Amino acid sequence: MLVDLPSDWMQEVGEELDKPYFQKLSEFVDSERRVAKVFPPEDLVFNAMKTTLFRQVRVLLLGQDPYHDDGQAQGLCFSVPPGVPKPPSLVNIFKELKSDLGCPTPSHGCLVSWANQGVLLLNAVLTVRAHQANSHKNKGWEQFTDSAIRALNASQTPIVFVLWGGYAGKKAALIDTSRHAIVQSAHPSPLSAHNGFFGSKPFSKVNAHLAQFGRAEIDWQID
């Protein structure tokens, strides 16, 4: 498996790469790619960390695993490349964004502009077999991404952690809320969005926390 992490992330999580679990994980992903289509493409697996360097992180938005249909996954949670139809969860994210901040609905679903501002769009699991959701869970990715969350938690610079849904919510145990902030709600998927995601105003809450921390707010409007 190609591990092309930038140097500042290597300083934080590089030791994970030498651990037995990561060696097994790497062998598993390579074997999957030999027999099936795996998303995202190999050069985009670590795209979240390549787009948002460790020292740039102001917000962590945690997803579960990559989109599993053709052309969707680009290594940034909830995001799809321009021209790809917006998945249902992302449609609901944009509905809440409009309700919360009045931002017009974007014509595309690419969230790179958020990532470029310091929003780390990290999935807990970084690969998936085509058309099989959660097919790469419990193979070691969670241990690796937990190490990234712990590294961010250890940072002296305050960060806002956005945890949508029960799965992401469990990661709250890794976060020291005396130093950082958590914005938590139901997941934006159609199954749960009406049970506490809609109306939760996550975007204005994130910016309020950043302002309290004396950090620049995120411009959530996507062109």
Side-chain angles (χ1 to χ4, degrees), residues 56-223:
Q56 296 173 325
V57 177
R58 286 186 272 163
V59 179
L60 168 65
L61 174 55
L62 187 68
Q64 191 159 352
D65 73 334
Y67 293 128
H68 55 266
D69 284 336
D70 294 296
Q72 293 180 314
Q74 57 176 169
L76 305 171
C77 73
F78 296 109
S79 182
V80 292
V84 174
K86 296 187 280 270
S89 290
L90 187 56
V91 170
N92 287 339
I93 288 168
F94 288 155
K95 284 180 182 176
E96 181 59 22
L97 179 61
K98 186 173 186 178
S99 167
D100 185 1
L101 296 177
C103 296
T105 302
S107 60
H108 62 83
C110 184
L111 305 181
V112 168
S113 67
W114 294 358
N116 287 339
Q117 295 180 74
V119 181
L120 179 66
L121 299 170
L122 186 69
N123 279 311
V125 174
L126 299 188
T127 55
V128 68
R129 187 187 272 225
H131 318 302
Q132 296 181 33
N134 291 314
S135 48
H136 287 188
K137 73 174 185 179
N138 299 327
K139 300 295 184 182
W141 278 127
E142 296 89 346
Q143 190 169 340
F144 175 75
T145 53
D146 279 359
S147 76
I149 295 170
R150 288 191 176 95
L152 291 168
N153 179 63
S155 167
Q156 292 307 304
T157 309
I159 292 166
V160 185
F161 293 82
V162 181
L163 308 177
W164 288 334
Y167 180 88
K170 293 174 184 171
K171 305 299 181 181
L174 304 177
I175 299 161
D176 177 2
T177 51
S178 70
R179 193 162 64 245
H180 307 291
I182 296 175
V183 172
Q184 203 166 347
S185 75
H187 195 275
S189 87
L191 297 173
S192 54
H194 289 280
N195 295 326
F197 176 74
F198 289 138
S200 64
K201 301 190 179 300
F203 307 100
S204 57
K205 286 178 180 174
V206 167
N207 280 348
H209 285 301
L210 289 171
Q212 286 177 337
F213 294 151
R215 306 198 72 184
E217 297 181 1
I218 304 296
D219 177 5
W220 296 104
Q221 176 62 60
I222 292 172
D223 296 333

